[in-house]
Amino acid sequence: MRQPIAEPGRYYHGRRAIVLRSGRSLEEERCSLWHELVHAERGDVECAGWAASAIERRVEREAARRAMPLDVMERRLSLASDWDDFVWHMKVPERWVRFRLTHAAPAERARLRRACRWAD
């Protein structure tokens, strides 16, 4: 569902429902949806304060990993002509692509470097 809520998205455990803030881009909605789906899978009942919550940080890392699997990122890097093209192909905001890369394991980073035909 889309509603004019304060947060980007929210999972309501008791109703098994995800509400996304209306009026956002498709790319932004995808981030929120992935994030809230991880909450739903975990069975999280309530999380308070994203910045201060270790749970929220773990959920965000897992959501980004699921939204951008390593094999998909490798393929997109091999096809993209530059950074902007790569981000466009990932269909999420640039900040989330950077977030995913920041939290990639060293072995993942090495695979992505090998797949990339250009330098940022």
Side-chain angles (χ1 to χ4, degrees):
M1 294 187 293
R2 290 174 183 84
Q3 296 291 322
I5 59 175
E7 59 266 88
R10 180 137 183 126
Y11 169 64
Y12 293 91
H13 182 71
R15 294 182 180 206
R16 304 286 297 163
I18 294 173
V19 177
L20 301 175
R21 183 189 311 145
S22 54
R24 299 172 68 223
S25 71
L26 178 62
E27 291 81 7
E28 288 289 342
E29 280 190 349
R30 291 186 78 221
C31 294
S32 297
L33 186 56
W34 275 106
H35 181 97
E36 299 308 327
L37 285 169
V38 173
H39 276 303
E41 182 179 281
R42 292 167 42 105
D44 292 340
V45 176
E46 182 178 334
C47 290
W50 190 95
S53 173
I55 290 171
E56 287 294 316
R57 289 190 299 273
R58 282 194 298 274
V59 166
E60 189 74 356
R61 282 192 301 270
E62 179 61 16
R65 187 189 66 76
R66 290 182 185 188
M68 295 172 274
L70 184 59
D71 59 332
V72 171
M73 293 180 80
E74 279 182 304
R75 177 89 173 123
R76 296 301 182 210
L77 276 169
S78 71
L79 296 173
S81 58
D82 59 23
W83 172 256
D84 292 330
D85 191 35
F86 171 60
V87 170
W88 182 84
H89 280 287
M90 296 311 299
K91 303 299 185 206
V92 295
E94 180 179 1
R95 68 173 173 76
W96 227 40
V97 176
R98 290 191 186 279
F99 177 81
R100 170 69 169 97
L101 292 171
T102 299
H103 293 285
E108 289 179 316
R109 285 192 195 116
R111 283 178 60 180
L112 294 172
R113 271 193 299 275
R114 284 192 299 272
C116 186
R117 297 178 306 140
W118 42 266
D120 184 29

